[in-house]
Amino acid sequence: MNYKTLTTLTVLLLSAKIIVAQHAVRYDVSFTNYKHHEAEITINVDELSSGPVLFRMSRSSPGRYATHEFGKNVYNVKAFDQQGKPLDVKRLEGDLYEVPNHKGAIKLSYTLYGVHADGTYADIDPTQAHLNIPASFMWVKGKEKSPVEVKFNIPEGLNWKVASQLDYKPNDVYYAPSLQYFMDSPTELSNHFQRSWQLKNPDGKQQSIKLALHTIATDAEVDNYTEMVKRLVLEQKAVFGELPNYDFGNYTFIQNVNMYVKGDGMEHRNSTMITNQGAFRGNEIDLLSTLSHEFFHQWNVERIRPKTLEPFDFEHANMSNELWFAEGFTNYYGTLLLKRAGFYSFDTYCMMLNSCLNSVLSLPGAKQYSPVTMSNQAVFVDAGVAVDQTNYPNIFVSYYPYGEATALALDLRLRTEFKNLTLDKFMQLVWQKHGKTEIPYTNSDLQKLLGEFTGSKDFADDFFNRYIYNAEKNNYELLLGKAGILLRKTAPEKAWLGDFQPGQSTYRGLKIASATQKGSPLYEAGLDINDIILSVDGQNISDFSAFQRLIAGHNVGDRLTIVYDHRGTNNSTILTLQENPYLTAITYEQAGLDVTAAMKKLREEWLGMKATSVN
Ligand SMILES: [Zn+2]
């Protein structure tokens, strides 16, 4: 193509762009009844072609994979034309409204109710308007590509500031280039602390990091916490070598720490919405741990994006095959980077591994199902709400610890079976291939890339076939041993009969309130959910702790008579106690074992600080 053709084409394309440029969908938000947790929201939309227009509340929210009934907290839905004349509104479904007739422009208004501050819902209160967008804003079908402008009318005297990844424009307008971006942009209006700092990327571009912290603290305490966040951010940046280029030049941590929120953390493209229930003072490292996980997501899931989540569907659950990587590997780094940044000691880091190792090595779900199958379950378990019982104790293990343990194994295998390879370097490669380019990946893309990275297709195929597509487990005892970490039984030779959730004790006995675990003595003896344990070994059972004490007094292999009520009928059976299957990771030092120079070297390379002042 010669230059002239190119120029002509450019002119044509530019003029085409001018023709198709769309008017923004404009929202106006007021909080006149904020004391009673209501907001008034209006949507102004024009350039509508003739025919019915659909307005809907979402049923899912970015980063949350189950469906939610956001439509239940929306009411007083009314529509008007440009002259303010009422238009008919039909409610087609719980969360779907139709305006059948109009003259090209509609103003639709509604009331939103919200008393649930977390990473998904809305909270409107004199202390804040905490708005996750799918839970708060209706949208117009057919206008998904239009830009969005929002105006917040802050009640007088409240001193609210606005924290959001939406772009701030003149006249107090907050802007999103499309519906996808808008839905991904939680916004908090509150009287919060604000801090910000700049970091330079290798390409010379400055990226700005902002902290919007809504809590009770002194300025000095917030300054101190900000320094901790800065250290962690540098350690995160060191994994990939750079920060992403933020869409509007900045990334915002929105962190809400008080008694009135639900504990949560939700990643977004250029921000995160974190809610920690409790006090700020004295809990800084816990607060940092949520932040660490969410910040890592700006690379892994926001830009290194599973193909199954792209584009995000706001009307259905979003099922993914790759959450073992998107969430699990993020979990691995969330904890690891707190160690590298010096917030965890080596002993603490080992202790932090216990939960993921036990999930993967001891729970029935992980023995049967692969990380991919468990990723699919997110559509039910990720804050999904149901009234009926599930068999999760037997068929589910979370893709968070499953993926985390898989990342741990892969990292240690790369470090010990190859020369100069690490998971950091693999993540950098994934970042270059799929993150910077924003080409969504599949599991087979990752498998292929691991083959290229290691120079061994056999290694990658074997790893994926055994540990990702199937439920085999890496040899954690061997791998951790190379770093001088001992994986051993938590309670060797102590009797165990299986975990279950205890129900309320009744005068008759102890109720089993969850499915019993396949393979456990209770399960094998035929007991299951809703059975009431009446006596064990001739002793009446009154409560859970007495029951636990009784079992602890026995030996592995003991056979006990258990009497239980099953739907009104008394039954008696014999169960055989097993050894407690749970594991604990401790340092060789704690175990009184020798630590070799090779172990020390591996520990330093794996867990030592990577960030330098030039980062
Ligand atoms: Zn996450």
Side-chain angles (χ1 to χ4, degrees), residues 265 267 293-294 297 326-327 330-331 400:
E267 70 279 6
H293 176 99
E294 303 309 333
H297 269 316
E327 288 296 354
T330 298
N331 232 30
Y400 285 80

Side-chain angles (χ1 to χ4, degrees), residues 312-366:
F312 201 81
D313 183 340
F314 297 104
E315 299 180 72
H316 299 98
N318 286 254
M319 194 183 85
S320 172
N321 302 319
E322 296 89 7
L323 295 183
W324 61 272
F325 185 79
E327 288 296 354
F329 275 48
T330 298
N331 232 30
Y332 173 67
Y333 273 102
T335 309
L336 176 73
L337 293 169
L338 286 172
K339 166 67 191 77
R340 283 191 185 161
F343 297 111
Y344 287 157
S345 67
F346 183 49
D347 290 1
T348 306
Y349 181 68
C350 291
M351 204 176 70
M352 301 302 285
L353 294 177
N354 286 330
S355 149
C356 86
L357 289 168
N358 276 308
S359 295
V360 169
L361 298 174
S362 311
L363 296 183

Side-chain angles (χ1 to χ4, degrees), residues 122-386:
D123 188 51
I124 300 146
D125 186 83
T127 60
Q128 64 180 4
H130 173 102
L131 304 174
N132 285 289
I133 306 302
S136 310
F137 290 86
M138 267 197 211
W139 48 277
V140 189
K141 296 268 281 181
K143 290 284 181 184
E144 293 86 345
K145 297 266 188 288
S146 297
V148 172
E149 292 177 3
V150 191
K151 188 137 194 187
F152 297 104
N153 301 293
I154 297 173
E156 266 185 43
L158 285 186
N159 297 320
W160 282 355
K161 291 162 263 185
V162 181
S164 178
Q165 68 172 27
L166 293 169
D167 194 24
Y168 183 58
K169 299 273 194 197
N171 302 319
D172 275 345
V173 165
Y174 288 84
Y175 169 86
S178 66
L179 180 77
Q180 281 280 336
Y181 191 88
F182 180 49
M183 286 286 141
D184 189 47
S185 304
T187 299
E188 167 146 325
L189 297 90
S190 61
N191 188 9
H192 51 256
F193 292 96
Q194 293 178 318
R195 298 289 185 273
S196 68
W197 62 100
Q198 302 274 321
L199 285 173
K200 197 188 266 188
N201 257 345
D203 65 4
K205 272 195 189 159
Q206 292 282 354
Q207 302 292 322
S208 173
I209 310 281
K210 297 179 178 180
L211 173 65
L213 181 64
H214 183 194
T215 194
I216 296 169
T218 64
D219 269 308
E221 286 168 337
V222 175
D223 288 342
N224 178 51
Y225 183 63
T226 305
E227 290 307 312
M228 293 166 81
V229 176
K230 283 183 183 175
R231 245 165 81 192
L232 179 64
V233 164
L234 286 180
E235 207 53 61
Q236 297 241 356
K237 183 173 172 244
V239 174
F240 293 95
E242 61 182 340
L243 296 170
N245 263 325
Y246 302 126
D247 296 65
F248 300 110
N250 52 64
Y251 179 94
T252 306
F253 292 106
I254 307 171
Q255 193 159 21
N256 200 328
V257 186
N258 60 60
M259 289 308 295
Y260 313 103
V261 299
K262 313 286 174 197
D264 202 359
M266 189 53 67
E267 70 279 6
H268 298 280
R269 195 170 157 83
N270 302 301
S271 68
T272 173
M273 179 67 107
I274 299 172
T275 47
N276 300 99
Q277 191 176 43
F280 173 82
R281 197 166 295 136
N283 291 318
E284 289 84 349
I285 295 204
D286 280 349
L287 305 180
L288 213 53
S289 71
T290 322
L291 190 142
S292 183
H293 176 99
E294 303 309 333
F295 193 64
F296 197 83
H297 269 316
Q298 61 172 314
W299 292 279
N300 192 26
V301 95
E302 291 301 333
R303 289 167 177 86
I304 299 171
R305 188 90 176 142
K307 204 169 185 174
T308 41
L309 296 180
E310 208 43 48
F312 201 81
D313 183 340
F314 297 104
E315 299 180 72
H316 299 98
N318 286 254
M319 194 183 85
S320 172
N321 302 319
E322 296 89 7
L323 295 183
W324 61 272
F325 185 79
E327 288 296 354
F329 275 48
T330 298
N331 232 30
Y332 173 67
Y333 273 102
T335 309
L336 176 73
L337 293 169
L338 286 172
K339 166 67 191 77
R340 283 191 185 161
F343 297 111
Y344 287 157
S345 67
F346 183 49
D347 290 1
T348 306
Y349 181 68
C350 291
M351 204 176 70
M352 301 302 285
L353 294 177
N354 286 330
S355 149
C356 86
L357 289 168
N358 276 308
S359 295
V360 169
L361 298 174
S362 311
L363 296 183
K367 289 180 181 155
Q368 292 183 75
Y369 301 107
S370 72
V372 174
T373 307
M374 294 300 94
S375 298
N376 295 159
Q377 292 288 71
V379 294
F380 302 121
V381 301
D382 187 27
V385 178

